[in-house]
Amino acid sequence: MCRIFGYFNARATPHEMRAVAALQRHGGPDATGFFRAPGWGLGSNRLAVVDLDGGEQPYGRGGPVQVVFNGEIYNHAELRARLQARGHVLPDRCDGSVLPALYLEYGDALTEHLDGMYALALLDTRGEVPRLLLATDHIGMKPLYHRWDPASRSLRFSSELPALLGFDGVGGRVRESALDAYLTTRTPFGTRTVYEDVEVLEPGTTWVCELGGAPRVRRRAADLPAAPAREGRTAARQVRRTLRSEVRRLLVADVPVALIVSGGLDSGLVASLASEHGPVHTFNLAYRGTWPSDERHFAREVAERAGAVHHQVEIDPADFPKLLEETVWHLGQPNADPIALSTYALFRAVRDAGFTVALTGDAADEVFGGYARMRVAAERAAAGAEWSADYLDALSAAPAALRERLYTVAYRDHVAADPALPGAAREDLLHGPGTVLERITRFELENRLPAYHLRRVDHLSMASSVEARLPFCQRSVVALGRALRDHQRVRDGQVKRTLYAAAAGLLPPRVLSRPKQPFTLPVATMLRPGTLLWEYARDLLAPGRVAAAGRLEARVVEELFAAQAERPDDTFALALWALLVHEVWEEQFRPAARRPGPAGTPGASRPMVTAA
C-alpha cells in the first residue's frame, strides 16, 4: 500500500517532487522515493504491508518498464508463480513487484489479470519515446487525481488531491458550479473535482499516452454479473461461501490486521467470518455522552460472539471543530457525509493501537440493496408512481426545493447550464435498460460508491497510515450481488434479503433482527444551540461571510439555523452541516485563504480507547 505521484511530458523540480511527497507522506511513512528522467518522473510513499524489507519503488528500477503502485494485489502469489514459470526473475515477494513482468507479458491488458485494489502508473521506455499508462481498479477503491494540460500535452498526477496541489500551477481555478454539485450529490461525481483543471480517473479506467502525444482514455467494461442467482437458501449459501473465501484472503498481511464493527449486519458478518481464522481485534466508534442511535452495545455483542478483543473508541463532541478541519484537509474537497469526521477519528485510533490493516463492511448496501431509498424507489416504480425525484433528493445534502431557495438568482442561472450529475449516468439511471432497482444499483455502484464512499474511506484511513480492505468490493462478491433478482434484494419492506440470509447463525439474533440504521454521526442532535459545534457553525456561516461569495442567500441560511434551533430536523441539520464543511474547505483551499494542513492546525485531542 502506497501513495504515488509523478509527471509526464512536463518539468518538475526535485523541490516540487519532495513537496508532493511530503503532502501525502501520512499514507506512506515507511519509505519515500522518486525517479526522474528528461520529460518524466515517478514517485511513491510506501506503507509496508507485504514483504516489509522488499517493495522498493519504482518497481523494475533500471529496466525498460518501471511502475509505481498504490493498493494490494491479492492474487500476487499466483501471478508470481506464473511469471517465474515463464522465465521472469522477480526481486522479492512484494505484491507490486509482479507488475513490470506482467506488463511485459500482457501489455495494456495486464489489468485483466489483477485481483485487488489499485491505482498504478507505468512507464515503458522501450519505444522511440516513453509511454505512460495509468490504471485504476474495477470499482474505485484507490483513486488517482490528475491534471492534464491540452496545450502543453503535459500531465501531473497523485493519489491525493491536496498533494497534487503541490505541483506548481495546479488547482488555481475553482469550479464555480462545484458548490451545486456538492449539495446535489454530497461530493462531485464522475471525473470532476472542485477544480476546473483537476480530474480523477474513474473506476476501471486505463489512460495511455506517448511523450508529446494526446492521451487515449478507455473505461474498461464492468464485470458481468455471475450466472443468475439461485433462489432462497442456495443463493445465501453461495454468498456466504464467497465472502468467507474473500475475507480469508484479505486477512493475509505481514502486519497486524483489525476489524471495524459498527454493530450492524455488514461489518458484523465480516468480523464473524474473520474470527474463523484465529483471534481478532474489533474497533467501534461512539461519542462521549448520551446520544441517540448509539450502537456500541450492538458492536460489543458482535465482538463477543466473534471472541474478539474489542476496542471501544470514544471521541468528545467538543473536539469536532478541530477534527473537522483535519478531516476536510485530508479529503481535499468537500464531502457532506457526517461520518467522515468519525471515520478519520476511528482509523487514527486503529493506528494508535498498533494496527496497519483494517477490514470494513463498506459497499454491502450498494452490492446487495441495503438502502431505504432503493426499496422505496422500487416499490413506487412497481406501483406505477414517479420515483426519481425523491430518490435523487435522498442522495443530496440539500433537496432540490431547498437548493432553489438557497441559491441567489445569479447562481441558479449559472448552475442551470452545468448539471451536477454526469449526463450519461443520469440518462442510464432514468432511462437505461433493466428494472428501476437494477438501474439504481448500477448507478450506486459505478458512480456514487467510488466518489462518495470509497474516496472517503481511502483518504481518511491512509491519513493515519492504515490500509482499509473491503471484502464487499471484491469482484467475486460484486458479481454475485449484481446477479440477484429484485426480490432477492428487497421485498416486503426488507432490504438486503439475501445477505441477511447468508448471515443467519453467524451473528447475535438482536443484530439480525434490529431495524437497519446507518453508521453516522447524529448531527441533528449535536448541531443545536449551546454546543460548541453550533457556535462554530454560526461563526463560519455568519450572514456577511455567506453573502460575500454571491452564491447563497444569507437570509435562507439564517432561516435554516432558526428552524433547526426550534425543531431539530435531519434535513435542516444535514444542509447546515454540508454548508459548514464547504466553508471549512473554502478557508483551507481557496487560493486567497489557503492555510497549512494538519501539521499547522492545532490538533484535536486523541480519542479515548478502551479494550475488553
Side-chain angles (χ1 to χ4, degrees):
M1 178 63 66
C2 303
R3 281 337 206 186
I4 64 173
F5 55 97
Y7 61 92
F8 190 65
N9 197 37
R11 293 181 180 179
T13 65
H15 173 75
E16 283 180 78
M17 293 290 275
R18 291 182 186 278
V20 173
L23 284 166
Q24 56 185 13
R25 187 177 181 275
H26 46 262
D30 298 322
T32 296
F34 57 86
F35 187 83
R36 299 166 65 243
W40 60 270
L42 298 176
S44 71
N45 308 84
R46 188 188 185 206
L47 177 64
V49 172
V50 175
D51 191 1
L52 306 188
D53 296 324
E56 182 182 5
Q57 296 198 39
Y59 300 112
R61 183 186 292 268
V65 174
Q66 299 189 53
V67 184
V68 288
F69 159 73
N70 171 30
E72 289 291 341
I73 305 303
Y74 300 121
N75 64 333
H76 68 95
E78 302 97 293
L79 292 174
R80 178 176 289 102
R82 184 196 312 171
L83 293 166
Q84 288 174 332
R86 297 188 180 191
H88 293 278
V89 177
L90 304 180
D92 52 43
R93 61 182 184 84
C94 188
D95 56 335
S97 296
V98 306
L99 294 171
L102 197 66
Y103 176 78
L104 290 171
E105 284 290 334
Y106 300 108
D108 295 359
L110 86 161
T111 55
E112 305 305 318
H113 302 267
L114 299 178
D115 183 4
M117 55 181 178
Y118 58 86
L120 63 88
L122 181 150
L123 209 293
D124 183 352
T125 59
R126 293 176 299 171
E128 293 184 4
V129 294
R131 180 179 192 265
L132 179 72
L133 179 148
L134 307 177
T136 51
D137 66 61
H138 63 288
I139 204 167
M141 288 176 278
K142 291 291 140 186
L144 192 62
Y145 299 90
H146 65 93
R147 193 246 192 192
W148 168 256
D149 183 347
S152 63
R153 297 195 171 188
S154 63
L155 175 81
R156 292 165 178 82
F157 63 89
S158 71
S159 294
E160 296 187 7
L161 184 49
L164 187 62
L165 304 182
F167 283 114
D168 288 348
V170 175
R173 300 188 307 275
V174 173
R175 193 187 305 275
E176 282 305 306
S177 60
L179 173 61
D180 175 59
Y182 166 63
L183 293 177
T184 302
T185 55
R186 306 194 190 191
T187 201
F189 277 18
T191 62
R192 284 186 164 189
T193 69
V194 291
Y195 296 102
E196 291 184 0
D197 60 342
V198 177
E199 294 193 332
V200 60
L201 286 188
E202 292 183 289
T205 295
T206 300
W207 188 104
V208 178
C209 186
E210 292 185 347
L211 196 70
R216 301 187 303 278
V217 183
R218 176 173 64 92
R219 193 167 186 188
R220 306 187 299 273
D223 291 342
L224 294 174
R230 297 183 179 180
E231 292 295 333
R233 294 180 180 176
T234 303
R237 284 195 296 267
Q238 187 179 21
V239 168
R240 181 191 290 201
R241 184 168 58 248
T242 303
L243 268 173
R244 175 175 280 123
S245 174
E246 295 295 0
V247 167
R248 175 182 55 79
R249 290 205 305 160
L250 269 59
L251 287 170
V252 177
D254 295 335
V255 293
V257 179
L259 301 161
I260 304 298
V261 293
S262 66
L265 167 68
D266 310 334
S267 59
L269 181 53
V270 171
S272 175
L273 295 173
S275 70
E276 297 174 355
H277 303 283
V280 295
H281 287 252
T282 55
F283 284 77
N284 172 261
L285 184 132
Y287 312 102
R288 202 166 298 167
T290 302
W291 304 100
S293 305
D294 191 321
E295 295 185 283
R296 73 180 76 198
H297 51 292
F298 291 112
R300 184 171 295 279
E301 285 189 41
V302 168
E304 289 174 352
R305 179 67 175 262
V309 176
H310 187 57
H311 304 255
Q312 184 60 62
V313 182
E314 277 193 343
I315 56 176
D316 190 336
D319 288 332
F320 284 0
K322 293 176 182 178
L323 280 173
L324 184 56
E325 291 177 11
E326 296 179 14
T327 300
V328 170
W329 188 87
H330 280 290
L331 290 171
Q333 62 182 354
N335 183 306
D337 193 345
I339 199 180
L341 186 150
S342 310
T343 303
Y344 174 66
L346 180 57
F347 280 113
R348 192 169 67 176
V350 168
R351 182 66 182 195
D352 285 348
F355 295 88
T356 307
V357 172
L359 272 62
T360 83
D362 291 284
D365 288 318
E366 287 81 3
V367 173
F368 290 99
Y371 292 117
R373 60 177 177 268
M374 292 177 158
R375 174 184 58 78
V376 171
E379 290 172 351
R380 289 183 177 175
E386 205 285 325
W387 60 271
S388 62
D390 285 347
Y391 170 76
L392 291 172
D393 272 351
L395 300 182
S396 72
L402 177 54
R403 297 197 303 274
E404 181 74 12
R405 294 177 53 229
L406 268 173
Y407 296 164
T408 62
V409 173
Y411 192 61
R412 280 202 303 270
D413 291 342
H414 176 81
V415 300
D418 193 11
L421 280 179
R426 183 183 181 90
E427 178 64 21
D428 185 63
L429 172 66
L430 300 181
H431 308 294
T435 67
V436 165
L437 186 55
E438 287 170 344
R439 302 200 307 262
I440 287 175
T441 299
R442 194 160 59 237
F443 175 79
E444 298 253 2
L445 281 171
E446 297 178 8
N447 293 276
R448 188 174 187 271
L449 177 67
Y452 182 54
H453 285 292
L454 297 183
R455 289 177 210 160
R456 170 179 55 80
V457 171
D458 170 76
H459 288 31
L460 299 182
S461 59
M462 292 292 275
S464 295
S465 308
V466 175
E467 174 183 297
R469 294 183 177 180
L470 315 170
F472 289 103
C473 284
Q474 286 296 100
R475 298 175 83 152
S476 62
V477 178
V478 173
L480 276 180
R482 295 190 68 168
L484 294 174
R485 300 174 179 89
D486 284 5
H487 71 272
Q488 293 175 299
R489 300 173 188 274
V490 301
R491 190 173 68 182
D492 300 331
Q494 184 185 358
V495 296
K496 284 189 294 197
R497 296 182 67 245
T498 298
L499 192 61
Y500 272 100
L506 296 178
L507 293 175
R510 283 211 316 156
V511 171
L512 288 175
S513 62
R514 61 182 291 225
K516 176 177 168 52
Q517 175 182 315
F519 174 44
T520 190
L521 183 152
V523 67
T525 305
M526 292 182 166
L527 189 59
R528 70 184 195 279
T531 66
L532 185 60
L533 185 61
W534 177 270
E535 297 305 321
Y536 182 58
R538 294 296 285 145
D539 287 344
L540 286 186
L541 297 174
R545 292 180 62 133
V546 170
R551 296 186 294 263
L552 300 177
E553 294 284 1
R555 169 186 52 82
V556 178
V557 176
E558 286 298 293
E559 290 173 0
L560 284 175
F561 274 114
Q564 175 66 10
E566 180 181 344
R567 187 180 62 259
D569 174 89
D570 288 342
T571 300
F572 299 153
L574 180 57
L576 287 170
W577 174 268
L579 294 174
L580 170 61
V581 169
H582 189 268
E583 192 64 25
V584 171
W585 175 83
E586 289 259 359
E587 277 209 331
Q588 298 201 28
F589 286 97
R590 278 280 185 176
R594 186 168 292 171
R595 303 189 310 180
T601 302
S605 64
R606 308 301 269 184
M608 183 173 70
V609 186
T610 58

